[in-house]
Amino acid sequence: MIDPYTGKLPPFAFHLLGLILLILGWELLARHYSGLVVAAPGETLAALFRLFKNETFLARHMGPTLERIGLALCFGIGSGAALGVLAGFVEPIRLMLAPARWILTSIPGVIVVVVFMLWFGMGTTMVVCITATMVAPIVYVNVADGMMSVDRNLLEMAKVYRLPLCMRLVRIYAMALAGPLLSGAVIATGNGIRLVVLAEMLGANEGIGHALAISRSNLQTDELYALTLLAMLVIGGVEVLLLRPARKAVQRRRA
Amino acid sequence: MNAVIEMKGIHKRFGKRPVIAGFDLTVKQGEVLGLLGPSGIGKSTVLRMIAGLERPDSGSIRVGTSHIGYVFQEARLLPWDTALNNVVLPLRAMGKGKREATDRARYFLKRMELSEFERVYPHQLSGGMRQRVALARSFAINPDILLLDEPFTGLDKDLKETMRHLLEAALESSSAAVIHVTHDPSELLDRTNRIIQLKQQGKEPCAGACLTKTIQQGQVS
């Protein structure tokens, strides 16, 4: 495992070591405290496998949560990116959006959940609206900043050679914004999934968040921990399988 | 021959600093004009106004074509596209079909001795090669006006000579009016048939170059 040229451990070895230490710490805590407070790693994994085998759980909780995450991220990232591009082109719009952006990024998520529950009631609409509303400003800031840093020299070149607007958008702006957009999307995905679970926990009758609330009420700690692990796996899955490869592809092309 | 560029009474300021004052210029089709002068005197600004990148504060500019090739001091290539795609881009913008645009781009890259590098990205090319791609891009659109803004900046002596040679060869089959901006008279092209020397006006230096005007016109010896 040791690199023969540098004599050092490769980076993934340190990731693995950190993970092993975390699990060891978790195991020690589980042995020290009651199973009602801290579920052991083994019990958590067993509960997770039980959840995966449970078709009712998959249909009633996992499916709706994934659907909400997909919808919320599509709306949130889409609207944030569109507004960011608009703000980059039209300075007054950027200035007008500044207060709304500031309010949405500084207000605690739980307050938004409570307010949106009053407006939309319980269920998918509320969860998707909350998450999209909170995710959009993150993407908006990244894209608007990205618009400010689009290479002016390339835009001048495009003007001299009379590239039509659609060509400029695709060949210059989209490529220049892909990096900031994906960086924003990575942060938005993590935050978005957390918000979906929070909103489901407080105001939905199905979904991982709702299942978490039930497990807590029933003192099913192993299932509670398994659901937490599941939410982390969803975040990690989206990031590792979707966003990270996309970001690497963009970096390769921009190198 | 017809004039493709007519500039009359051009004045331009950047903030409070006057850069161009009462500048007149007429360039005819096929003419190769050298625009000489020290850095900061406003040579590039003249080119930028012809290309529509700057507007004069007063005066009039008439440019008789939309086919303008511009070689900037730096290549200004899309970093995420290959050399070939960078040359294809303006051709596609002109409405040429994909195949025709690609064939034409390949031809001009070949003329710039870059056939082997058409699939290469700009960051994998040397500075001189990038400028040659920019030249290929300019010639590919069959320009009526070719603006060269110190295209040999940053190149060593041998590379400058290579670039000059390639540029001269490409101009042989072009009827474009050329304006070549440089601060170094030795960089002027052999086929230059008119030189305009820009000089500062007034006795006192004014924070670099604050007042400029056409002072001398002469023939290349």
Side-chain angles (χ1 to χ4, degrees):
Chain A
M1 194 182 271
I2 292 174
D3 190 315
Y5 297 105
T6 60
K8 290 178 183 172
L9 285 169
F12 84 88
F14 288 99
H15 290 315
L16 197 66
L17 190 65
L19 190 64
I20 291 167
L21 286 173
L22 267 176
I23 293 170
L24 270 175
W26 179 10
E27 179 66 40
L28 285 173
L29 274 176
R31 287 184 185 189
H32 190 261
Y33 291 101
S34 154
L36 282 176
V37 181
V38 182
E43 289 167 0
T44 304
L45 275 178
L48 188 63
F49 282 119
R50 275 202 307 278
L51 288 176
F52 277 130
K53 280 182 186 169
N54 185 342
E55 284 178 16
T56 312
F57 169 80
L58 293 176
R60 190 168 170 222
H61 298 299
M62 187 79 178
T65 298
L66 290 178
E67 185 192 339
R68 286 164 184 161
I69 289 169
L71 283 172
L73 288 180
C74 281
F75 285 128
I77 293 173
S79 57
L83 286 172
V85 170
L86 202 62
F89 278 125
V90 189
E91 176 74 2
I93 289 182
R94 192 175 68 84
L95 297 172
M96 279 192 292
L97 285 172
R101 197 271 308 156
W102 182 82
I103 289 167
L104 286 172
T105 49
S106 55
I107 200 164
V110 71
I111 294 172
V112 181
V113 174
V114 172
V115 172
F116 274 56
M117 275 168 68
L118 291 173
W119 292 351
F120 297 103
M122 310 255 286
T124 299
T125 309
M126 179 270 290
V127 175
V128 171
C129 286
I130 288 167
T131 311
T133 307
M134 297 303 278
V135 156
I138 300 169
V139 179
Y140 165 80
V141 168
N142 274 35
V143 172
D145 285 351
M147 285 290 289
M148 309 289 276
S149 60
V150 171
D151 191 341
R152 301 288 134 186
N153 286 341
L154 293 181
L155 295 178
E156 282 189 353
M157 180 277 292
K159 190 174 179 187
V160 168
Y161 289 107
R162 293 168 188 266
L163 305 194
L165 180 65
C166 61
M167 206 179 252
R168 289 179 210 196
L169 285 174
V170 173
R171 303 295 285 273
I172 298 178
Y173 284 103
M175 291 308 297
L177 292 178
L181 176 65
L182 281 167
S183 297
V186 169
I187 303 167
T189 301
N191 284 0
I193 293 171
R194 273 196 291 270
L195 267 168
V196 165
V197 173
L198 175 69
E200 284 178 344
M201 199 167 175
L202 294 173
N205 291 323
E206 70 282 309
I208 292 176
H210 178 67
L212 264 168
I214 293 171
S215 302
R216 187 195 54 188
S217 303
N218 296 343
L219 292 175
Q220 291 171 302
T221 312
D222 55 346
E223 197 171 295
L224 190 80
Y225 274 54
L227 287 165
T228 311
L229 199 58
L230 184 61
M232 285 160 59
L233 285 174
V234 172
I235 295 173
V238 173
E239 196 182 323
V240 171
L241 299 175
L242 207 69
L243 296 172
R244 209 175 282 180
R247 200 154 58 162
K248 276 187 180 167
V250 168
Q251 280 168 347
R252 261 201 308 277
R253 294 207 76 183
R254 296 193 66 190
Chain B
M1 280 197 213
N2 295 331
V4 284
I5 301 167
E6 276 183 306
M7 302 174 87
K8 282 184 187 166
I10 301 295
H11 286 76
K12 179 73 182 171
R13 285 169 171 269
F14 286 124
K16 288 182 179 177
R17 190 171 70 97
V19 178
I20 293 169
F23 183 79
D24 298 326
L25 177 70
T26 302
V27 184
K28 291 175 181 167
Q29 198 178 354
E31 192 174 7
V32 179
L33 172 73
L35 206 53
L36 275 174
S39 296
I41 204 159
K43 309 183 294 294
S44 297
T45 307
V46 171
L47 292 196
R48 290 173 63 78
M49 284 195 284
I50 293 167
L53 298 176
E54 299 280 353
R55 294 166 79 102
D57 296 333
S58 62
S60 69
I61 300 176
R62 192 190 69 80
V63 178
T65 179
S66 60
H67 285 191
I68 299 176
Y70 199 145
V71 181
F72 297 90
Q73 287 182 27
E74 63 297 331
R76 301 197 184 185
L77 304 175
L78 300 183
W80 39 78
D81 264 335
T82 59
L84 181 68
N85 282 344
N86 268 286
V87 184
V88 164
L89 190 70
L91 293 167
R92 296 284 286 157
M94 287 168 70
K96 303 249 184 240
K98 195 174 180 181
R99 189 176 185 121
E100 187 189 352
T102 307
D103 289 345
R104 196 168 168 79
R106 284 209 169 104
Y107 171 76
F108 281 96
L109 282 172
K110 190 179 176 186
R111 289 203 71 166
M112 291 296 147
E113 299 176 356
L114 288 169
S115 286
E116 292 169 31
F117 299 94
E118 63 178 45
R119 297 278 167 210
V120 167
Y121 288 91
H123 72 275
Q124 297 168 309
L125 295 169
S126 68
M129 285 166 144
R130 284 199 287 268
Q131 276 301 62
R132 274 148 60 192
V133 176
L135 267 178
R137 180 175 64 190
S138 300
F139 278 107
I141 63 162
N142 192 19
D144 295 317
I145 297 170
L146 181 61
L147 306 173
L148 305 171
D149 190 359
E150 309 220 25
F152 310 132
T153 299
L155 304 181
D156 63 37
K157 199 181 165 191
D158 289 344
L159 270 175
K160 267 184 195 174
E161 274 311 301
T162 309
M163 279 275 288
R164 253 171 59 100
H165 170 73
L166 291 168
L167 186 51
E168 299 268 11
L171 280 173
E172 268 174 26
S173 53
S174 170
S175 60
V178 180
I179 303 182
H180 179 195
V181 157
T182 179
H183 64 275
D184 181 358
S186 72
E187 286 184 357
L188 286 172
L189 301 170
D190 292 341
R191 54 200 316 114
T192 304
N193 41 37
R194 186 154 64 105
I195 297 170
I196 291 177
Q197 176 93 37
L198 295 176
K199 286 182 179 173
Q200 281 181 19
Q201 270 192 335
K203 290 177 182 173
E204 296 299 319
C206 182
C210 66
L211 290 167
T212 61
K213 196 177 180 182
T214 305
I215 301 293
Q216 293 178 353
Q217 281 186 213
Q219 298 292 323
V220 182
S221 57

